[in-house]
Amino acid sequence: QVQLVESGGGLVQPGGSLRLSCAASGSIFSIEAMGWYRQAPGKQREPVASITSTGSTSYADSVKGRFTLSRDNAKNTVYLQMNSLKPEDTAAYVCNAKITPRGTLLLFNYWGQGTQVTVSS
């Protein structure tokens, strides 16, 4: 069984910073990629950032230059450093990981529970 555990959300003023963490645990053979999506009220879930097993990153245009995604392979953990936060960044941030569990050759898509980020003065 594989689990994603997120932490780091909260309330921050515009221009402030937050760091989100997502740790994958359980019966993991390999992790292809990890990243974050977000969903604001009344809007569709959208990708924010992702990082592959080789360290290649991609970002949504709306967060480029402000957000940085990094990965600690030894801990199966990714960190999303969010700087210069704007009110429009307010959303539930959900961790995503593409993982092959032990005992299978199949790649599965896993989701965390989500952590709320609110940017407001």
Side-chain angles (χ1 to χ4, degrees):
Q1 192 171 357
V2 174
Q3 288 185 322
L4 301 181
V5 178
E6 303 139 322
S7 62
L11 173 64
V12 65
Q13 291 187 342
S17 298
L18 281 175
R19 191 176 84 151
L20 305 182
S21 300
C22 174
S25 63
S27 185
I28 296 170
F29 175 70
S30 65
I31 300 177
E32 175 65 25
M34 294 184 72
W36 292 90
Y37 284 68
R38 69 185 181 186
Q39 187 167 17
K43 295 187 177 181
Q44 288 189 334
R45 183 176 290 186
E46 62 177 4
V48 176
S50 65
I51 186 167
T52 68
S53 59
T54 58
S56 177
T57 55
S58 64
Y59 297 93
D61 287 343
S62 59
V63 308
K64 282 181 181 177
R66 300 188 298 122
F67 290 10
T68 302
L69 184 64
S70 59
R71 179 170 178 168
D72 185 334
N73 287 334
K75 296 181 179 180
N76 289 337
T77 299
V78 293
Y79 305 95
L80 183 66
Q81 179 66 42
M82 304 186 294
N83 298 328
S84 302
L85 282 161
K86 305 175 181 180
E88 51 263 43
D89 293 318
T90 295
Y93 284 70
V94 184
C95 182
N96 172 261
K98 295 174 174 54
I99 294 173
T100 296
R102 292 187 187 278
T104 178
L105 296 177
L106 300 176
L107 188 65
F108 291 88
N109 209 22
Y110 293 90
W111 296 94
Q113 294 289 336
T115 184
Q116 180 66 33
V117 171
T118 302
V119 185
S120 175
S121 55

XYZ file of all heavy atoms in Angstrom, residues 38 48-49 59-68 89 93:
123
model
N -3.462 21.915 -7.961
C -4.263 22.760 -7.070
C -5.656 22.941 -7.635
O -5.871 22.860 -8.837
C -3.593 24.112 -6.829
C -3.553 25.032 -8.042
C -2.748 26.295 -7.704
N -2.697 27.212 -8.831
C -1.972 28.332 -8.849
N -1.233 28.672 -7.791
N -1.992 29.109 -9.912
N 0.420 22.244 -11.119
C 1.239 23.357 -10.659
C 2.703 23.123 -11.010
O 3.345 23.966 -11.626
C 1.100 23.538 -9.131
C 2.037 24.642 -8.637
C -0.335 23.842 -8.754
N 3.225 21.987 -10.608
C 4.629 21.677 -10.851
C 4.837 20.185 -10.719
O 4.114 19.516 -9.967
C 5.532 22.417 -9.868
N 6.673 23.543 -14.767
C 5.850 24.445 -13.976
C 4.731 25.031 -14.820
O 4.896 25.266 -16.022
C 6.696 25.600 -13.431
C 7.804 25.183 -12.492
C 9.074 24.932 -12.957
C 7.558 25.058 -11.130
C 10.086 24.545 -12.097
C 8.563 24.689 -10.250
C 9.823 24.428 -10.747
O 10.829 24.057 -9.883
N 3.623 25.321 -14.160
C 2.569 26.090 -14.801
C 3.098 27.495 -15.050
O 3.880 28.025 -14.252
C 1.335 26.133 -13.911
N 2.658 28.106 -16.143
C 3.118 29.453 -16.472
C 2.830 30.433 -15.343
O 3.609 31.353 -15.087
C 2.449 29.939 -17.755
C 2.991 29.242 -18.993
O 4.086 28.639 -18.912
O 2.314 29.293 -20.035
N 1.728 30.221 -14.647
C 1.296 31.158 -13.608
C 2.213 31.152 -12.379
O 2.164 32.075 -11.571
C -0.126 30.837 -13.169
O -0.206 29.515 -12.680
N 3.055 30.121 -12.233
C 3.914 30.037 -11.048
C 5.402 30.086 -11.382
O 6.235 30.123 -10.471
C 3.612 28.767 -10.218
C 2.132 28.672 -9.903
C 4.088 27.514 -10.932
N 5.730 30.110 -12.656
C 7.142 30.141 -13.053
C 7.841 31.367 -12.471
O 7.306 32.475 -12.506
C 7.261 30.151 -14.579
C 7.046 28.793 -15.224
C 7.196 28.875 -16.740
C 6.949 27.529 -17.385
N 7.012 27.594 -18.869
N 9.021 31.132 -11.936
C 9.772 32.221 -11.325
C 9.410 32.490 -9.882
O 10.118 33.232 -9.200
N 8.319 31.910 -9.408
C 7.893 32.124 -8.018
C 7.947 30.828 -7.204
O 8.230 30.853 -6.008
C 6.475 32.686 -7.979
C 6.319 34.011 -8.676
C 4.930 34.616 -8.436
N 3.861 33.778 -8.969
C 2.876 33.286 -8.225
N 2.813 33.543 -6.936
N 1.927 32.547 -8.794
N 7.628 29.712 -7.850
C 7.586 28.421 -7.164
C 8.781 27.580 -7.604
O 9.182 27.615 -8.773
C 6.320 27.646 -7.511
C 5.051 28.224 -6.951
C 4.999 29.482 -6.359
C 3.865 27.492 -7.004
C 3.835 30.007 -5.841
C 2.685 27.999 -6.498
C 2.666 29.256 -5.915
N 9.318 26.809 -6.679
C 10.414 25.893 -6.976
C 10.119 24.535 -6.372
O 9.836 24.433 -5.172
C 11.740 26.422 -6.414
O 12.017 27.719 -6.950
C 12.882 25.483 -6.792
N -3.285 32.460 -5.853
C -2.680 31.162 -5.551
C -3.494 30.388 -4.507
O -3.197 29.221 -4.221
C -1.255 31.348 -5.025
C -0.301 31.897 -6.066
O -0.369 31.453 -7.227
O 0.500 32.789 -5.717
N -4.040 22.444 -2.378
C -2.903 21.879 -3.110
C -2.828 20.383 -2.823
O -2.795 19.967 -1.654
C -1.617 22.581 -2.696
C -1.482 23.950 -3.315
C -2.307 24.998 -2.904
C -0.563 24.207 -4.328
C -2.211 26.253 -3.487
C -0.450 25.462 -4.912
C -1.287 26.474 -4.479
O -1.187 27.727 -5.058
